[in-house]
Amino acid sequence: MEPGPHNAITDVPGVLVGQVERVDPPYLTGTTVVHVPATAVAAVDVRGGAPGTRETDLLSPVNSNGGVNAVVLTGGSAFGLDTAGSVMRWLEERGEGVRVGQGEYDVVPIVPTAVIFDLARGGDFKARPEPSWGAEAIAAAADGPVAQGNHGAGAGARAGTLKGGVGTASVRLDDGTTVGALVIVNAAGSTVDADGNLYGARLGLGDEFTHLRTPTEPPPPAAPGRNLVPGPSMNTVIAVIATDVPLDKAATKRMAMIAHDGLARAIDPIHTLVDGDSLFALSTRVPDDDRPRLSVTDPTALGRLETVYAAGARTLTRAIVHAMLNAESVETPSGTIPSYRDAYPSAFRTD
């Protein structure tokens, strides 16, 4: 196994990513859209105690929805859910969605959405994603490299005492299929152990993280305040895991469930009452492909399913590491949020 050409979720055929962010004071927030023009079978698994989501019930295997057109990951807490509306309108204008009439544009796009809490992180409670940012992000969606760190919904993210962000990774399985992950790391927990090592770096493929070593610096002190709003810290890790392996809805749901293991390997603690950890899983539809979709009730499919599920969880762990390595320190009214690179410069080999 090895990473795909971009080591990104866009290595999965049929997956595009677009992002918009604002980092000029008092803004520190953004929106990321995963677009699947040919649609994809989708599922979700929510395990955080404070989720902010939209259009998730229809992804249940017992419900009739057959697929999604896009997934939105955004800052702005519940206010950020408004960005999905402009994504729907953008898709409607192109005739993408569930057909409900005879007209070319008689469609209802299916756009599940999840948010992170980053309100006031840049200094102003109302400096949050505008509804139009969703349309801007999907209009910019492409199948190439994905900007990581302080981009898209990762612009205002943080993880423990460090700057979080958006990260992505992929793996090409031995049979030629691909699994990819994209994550917004905004966790209450930490991504580093007591010695300053990134928990997830041990799961790197090949020489992916061999440039890292145990740092000598002490852990950075906690910033004066995680948010500018009163009350406990609020966070959330949200992600999309995708594959071109043909899965039915129940098998896709299982992929989302097992992918949470990827969070637990990279962040401690995880799934707290102030996190809204929500993971979407996608199985892309390949045009002109009439292979039967794999099912969890088919004994002959179990081996292949377990391989894909394990790859999804490990790829998500690696994406979290990339988010932390690409994040950049930011100055906020409540103090500096240091990046991993700035907090632990000795963690990077120079030889």
Side-chain angles (χ1 to χ4, degrees):
M1 296 188 295
E2 61 183 8
H6 303 302
N7 200 10
I9 194 172
T10 51
D11 290 324
V12 177
V15 176
L16 314 177
V17 173
Q19 304 189 96
V20 171
E21 67 278 335
R22 281 194 66 177
V23 296
D24 54 307
Y27 282 88
L28 195 58
T29 189
T31 300
T32 299
V33 176
V34 176
H35 182 202
V36 279
T39 76
V41 174
V44 66
D45 193 67
V46 179
R47 299 196 185 180
T53 58
R54 167 177 165 160
E55 295 271 50
T56 52
D57 284 353
L58 55 73
L59 302 186
S60 168
V62 302
N63 292 333
S64 62
N65 172 67
V68 303
N69 302 100
V71 176
V72 177
L73 308 177
T74 184
S77 189
F79 295 105
L81 294 173
D82 284 347
T83 59
S86 67
V87 174
M88 288 186 68
R89 288 187 290 276
W90 189 93
L91 290 164
E92 178 191 21
E93 292 169 358
R94 289 153 181 80
E96 295 184 36
V98 176
R99 190 151 300 284
V100 294
Q102 299 301 313
E104 182 179 359
Y105 303 106
D106 293 350
V107 297
V108 177
I110 306 301
V111 185
T113 304
V115 303
I116 67 167
F117 189 98
D118 59 3
L119 294 175
R121 203 157 279 170
D124 184 347
F125 186 85
K126 292 189 176 181
R128 52 192 182 237
E130 299 290 338
S132 62
W133 290 14
E136 293 174 25
I138 194 171
D143 61 359
V146 176
Q148 302 183 79
N150 300 17
H151 292 275
R158 63 180 297 168
T161 60
L162 299 175
K163 182 70 180 69
V166 58
T168 190
S170 70
V171 61
R172 186 69 53 81
L173 303 179
D174 293 339
D175 64 1
T177 57
T178 304
V179 178
L182 182 143
V183 63
I184 310 299
V185 183
N186 187 60
S190 176
T191 59
V192 300
D193 63 20
D195 295 321
N197 299 299
L198 287 161
Y199 285 119
R202 68 190 186 281
L203 293 182
L205 287 180
D207 61 357
E208 190 172 24
F209 303 129
T210 55
H211 64 295
L212 298 176
R213 62 184 177 187
T214 300
T216 59
E217 294 87 2
R226 290 180 58 84
N227 307 300
L228 291 183
V229 295
S233 301
M234 299 181 185
N235 309 281
T236 293
V237 179
I238 51 180
V240 177
I241 302 92
T243 184
D244 57 352
V245 175
L247 309 177
D248 67 12
K249 283 187 74 175
T252 307
K253 169 70 174 182
R254 193 73 184 175
M255 184 176 181
M257 293 169 60
I258 293 176
H260 277 278
D261 293 348
L263 297 186
R265 292 173 183 141
I267 301 169
D268 183 34
I270 196 66
H271 304 144
T272 75
L273 290 174
V274 294
D275 285 299
D277 305 326
S278 304
L279 302 188
F280 296 95
L282 304 177
S283 172
T284 56
R285 292 180 178 176
V286 180
D288 302 322
D289 183 1
D290 58 0
R291 292 176 295 170
R293 294 190 173 275
L294 303 187
S295 169
V296 294
T297 61
D298 179 1
T300 65
L302 298 188
R304 192 175 185 202
L305 287 174
E306 294 295 352
T307 298
V308 172
Y309 295 159
R314 292 191 177 102
T315 303
L316 179 55
T317 296
R318 293 167 45 229
I320 292 170
V321 175
H322 285 295
M324 299 305 296
L325 293 179
N326 284 278
E328 299 176 4
S329 300
V330 295
E331 298 293 334
T332 75
S334 58
T336 301
I337 307 176
S339 68
Y340 181 78
R341 287 184 175 274
D342 288 342
Y344 297 103
S346 67
F348 298 85
R349 298 182 184 277
T350 57
D351 52 353

